[in-house]
Amino acid sequence: MGLIAAFGIAWSYANQHKTDGVSAGIISASVFFILTPSIMSGDKGPVEGFPYTYLGSRGLFVAIIFGLLSAWIFQWFINHNIQIKMPATVPPAVAKSFSALIPGAAVIAIAGCVYWLFAWTGWGNFASNQYYLRHFDLSTIYCGT
């Protein structure tokens, strides 16, 4: 659910702003994969994968936030002509894919910085921290009464 929402939210947002929705959706799904914690297996060779926990409804908040954020950054770059322009002889599908390279690199770099920040500070990952912050029990706060 989270992965599909990441793609769908960015696709819809980009289409509403008259930019390439498929490229925005793919970039948003890439950001979702970057911010989703991975698991490692300690067998003969290191095997890495994604837990199903954050690919479902538990990762939905990350998908919504970064789906909107990545699509906004993508459309901002495209609407301000910060993109690779191809000659007129290049087919439109190829030109669209090349125009998404600079916005995509910027969005993925920002997601990498968020991942690095959480890993460097020892907070774990964004997905698990936002989950616990949203489910903070207000009864643990002493009200003084």
Side-chain angles (χ1 to χ4, degrees):
M1 184 182 332
L3 180 61
I4 294 169
F7 181 88
I9 289 168
W11 177 81
S12 177
Y13 187 90
N15 281 337
Q16 288 177 1
H17 289 277
K18 310 280 190 279
T19 56
D20 185 20
V22 174
S23 296
I26 291 171
I27 292 167
S28 177
S30 301
V31 167
F32 184 78
F33 278 129
I34 290 170
L35 295 176
T36 301
S38 59
I39 54 175
M40 295 292 288
S41 172
D43 293 340
K44 294 179 183 177
V47 178
E48 190 170 0
F50 293 104
Y52 292 129
T53 308
Y54 296 107
L55 294 179
S57 62
R58 212 167 168 192
L60 193 57
F61 190 74
V62 175
I64 291 169
I65 294 297
F66 282 96
L68 289 171
L69 185 65
S70 65
W72 179 80
I73 294 170
F74 178 82
Q75 67 87 21
W76 186 87
F77 271 79
I78 297 295
N79 289 337
H80 286 85
N81 286 327
I82 305 172
Q83 58 185 330
I84 296 175
K85 300 213 188 252
M86 300 298 283
T89 58
V90 175
V94 176
K96 279 171 94 173
S97 65
F98 271 94
S99 70
L101 285 178
I102 293 176
V107 170
I108 288 173
I110 291 169
C113 289
V114 170
Y115 176 82
W116 174 80
L117 177 71
F118 275 84
W120 179 68
T121 57
W123 292 339
N125 57 62
F126 184 80
S128 64
N129 279 310
Q130 63 81 27
Y131 181 76
Y132 292 120
L133 286 175
R134 285 186 304 115
H135 291 93
F136 181 71
D137 187 12
L138 293 177
S139 65
T140 60
I141 299 174
Y142 180 71
C143 295
T145 56

